[in-house]
Amino acid sequence: MAKEKTVYVCNNCGQESPKWVGKCPSCGEWNTYVEEVIRKEVVNKRPVSGIETEKPKPIVLSEIEADDEPRIDLHDEELNRVLGGGLVPGSLVLIGGEPGIGKSTLVLQTVLHIPEKRVLYVSGEESARQLKLRADRLSHNSSDCLIVCETSLEQIFVHIKNTRPELVIIDSIQTISTESIESSPGSIAQVRECSASILRFAKETHTPVLLIGHINKEGSIAGPKVLEHIVDTVLQFEGDQHY
């Protein structure tokens, strides 16, 4: 059985400390340290994804092919413009915003208009019936969008391995948890570990992943500066409270 230890983690910047401190020495915020229980040793040394990939080897710089990969057209002129011309294969994009502002609706509407891509939509907050009702309200022409309601990271990778999607949606990252960490979903440790595993999967398989994340009352993404540093792009979804 793996040994466990308790550490204190700053909710603002992710800095760890062996004991509780009032002021974070890294970001200077007060009363942001929370207790996290993590495992000292990992029982399973295999990758969390369970997807077999070739181990990287050192390559001479001159031998690396640097051709521009075609971006994925999201069939949304503004979204393509913000992403620099489309979604880059193997990229990890975070869409952040207040709860209820329309992140899930925007993403679902976007992926339903990409009939040429096989999409896996992982919902940790809503049921398949709720997503179906929302999709019916949106005009779409996609019949190859797969829906699965799951919050276990290990099971999500099983579904990915079985379906081999060309685009993965995680809604939302705060609801996903891994068995290797005993903290509750949404905690700093869970968000960091799950995001790192998803990033590793995206880079090794060249599969783009869209993460949906909530922001807290202070206006920052819930869980972290840690999450902002892991992803490739952060899109802040904002609106006007009066219109």
Side-chain angles (χ1 to χ4, degrees):
M1 185 173 179
K3 295 181 180 179
E4 299 175 354
K5 68 175 182 178
T6 299
V7 297
Y8 291 86
V9 184
C10 175
N11 266 330
N12 186 56
C13 66
Q15 179 71 27
E16 294 185 0
S17 172
K19 61 180 181 179
W20 187 87
V21 291
K23 182 179 180 181
C24 177
S26 178
C27 64
E29 294 293 327
W30 287 89
N31 300 321
T32 56
Y33 273 83
V34 293
E35 185 179 12
E36 297 283 358
V37 178
I38 63 175
R39 291 186 177 180
K40 188 174 183 180
E41 299 175 358
V42 179
V43 178
N44 189 356
K45 296 296 183 180
R46 293 177 299 176
V48 176
S49 66
I51 299 175
E52 298 295 334
T53 55
E54 294 184 2
K55 293 183 179 180
K57 298 179 180 179
I59 305 175
V60 179
L61 181 62
S62 58
E63 297 178 357
I64 299 176
E65 298 181 2
D67 297 333
D68 290 335
E69 293 188 35
R71 293 173 179 255
I72 298 175
D73 184 9
L74 298 178
H75 300 285
D76 185 304
E77 183 178 351
E78 183 65 14
L79 196 52
N80 282 336
R81 184 190 67 81
V82 172
L83 291 172
L87 190 60
V88 178
S91 62
L92 187 61
V93 178
L94 172 66
I95 298 180
E98 297 177 355
I101 198 171
K103 301 181 298 298
S104 300
T105 302
L106 171 68
V107 173
L108 183 61
Q109 177 178 322
T110 300
V111 299
L112 289 177
H113 284 80
I114 314 178
E116 68 275 10
K117 295 294 182 182
R118 189 174 183 83
V119 179
L120 178 63
Y121 192 111
V122 181
S123 176
E125 297 184 348
E126 298 177 305
S127 66
R129 178 178 173 81
Q130 288 176 300
L131 291 173
K132 172 62 176 176
L133 293 173
R134 177 178 296 160
D136 288 342
R137 296 196 300 267
L138 303 169
S139 58
H140 65 87
N141 54 358
S142 175
S143 60
D144 206 16
C145 181
L146 304 173
I147 304 294
V148 61
C149 299
E150 185 60 70
T151 58
S152 169
L153 182 66
E154 287 75 16
Q155 287 302 313
I156 290 173
F157 282 126
V158 169
H159 294 305
I160 290 175
K161 184 177 181 180
N162 293 336
T163 59
R164 296 293 179 181
E166 299 173 272
L167 173 62
V168 178
I169 313 296
I170 306 292
D171 182 12
S172 67
I173 186 60
Q174 278 84 18
T175 63
I176 307 302
S177 61
T178 174
E179 296 175 0
S180 62
I181 303 291
E182 296 198 0
S183 303
S184 59
S187 63
I188 288 286
Q190 285 285 4
V191 169
R192 178 171 50 194
E193 183 65 24
C194 291
S195 300
S197 297
I198 294 172
L199 175 66
R200 191 181 310 116
F201 156 77
K203 300 306 179 184
E204 291 178 351
T205 63
H206 298 286
T207 303
V209 180
L210 292 180
L211 297 181
I212 295 178
H214 299 303
I215 63 174
N216 53 31
K217 60 183 180 180
E218 286 80 21
S220 59
I221 296 174
K225 291 295 180 183
V226 176
L227 184 54
E228 293 181 8
H229 295 320
I230 291 177
V231 301
D232 297 309
T233 306
V234 179
L235 302 182
Q236 194 78 1
F237 194 20
E238 301 175 347
D240 193 305
Q241 61 180 341
H242 302 294
Y243 298 96

